[in-house]
Amino acid sequence: MQTEFQDLINYRIQQANETIKEVEFQIENNFLVIAVNRIYYGMFYMLLALAL
């Protein structure tokens, strides 16, 4: 059971990190509206990991 929680936490952290990489690309290419949306999701994924 502990391993399942840790796997889920790691998955959410991985999602957050991937989203941050997307945001960096979007900001560099002036896709600011999309970047704001992805920033929100990056925070959401990390908060899910913290909640677990």
Side-chain angles (χ1 to χ4, degrees):
M1 185 100 169
Q2 181 68 21
T3 304
E4 293 174 13
F5 276 117
Q6 191 60 48
D7 289 344
L8 186 54
I9 290 168
N10 290 337
Y11 173 69
R12 293 300 183 190
I13 291 171
Q14 179 184 0
Q15 280 184 304
N17 288 331
E18 289 173 0
T19 303
I20 290 168
K21 290 177 187 172
E22 291 175 15
V23 168
E24 291 170 349
F25 172 80
Q26 291 160 348
I27 289 173
E28 289 171 0
N29 291 289
N30 208 31
F31 297 120
L32 302 180
V33 174
I34 297 170
V36 169
N37 176 274
R38 300 313 296 163
I39 290 168
Y40 166 81
Y41 275 99
M43 291 186 299
F44 176 75
Y45 295 141
M46 192 58 76
L47 285 173
L48 285 176
L50 288 171
L52 292 169

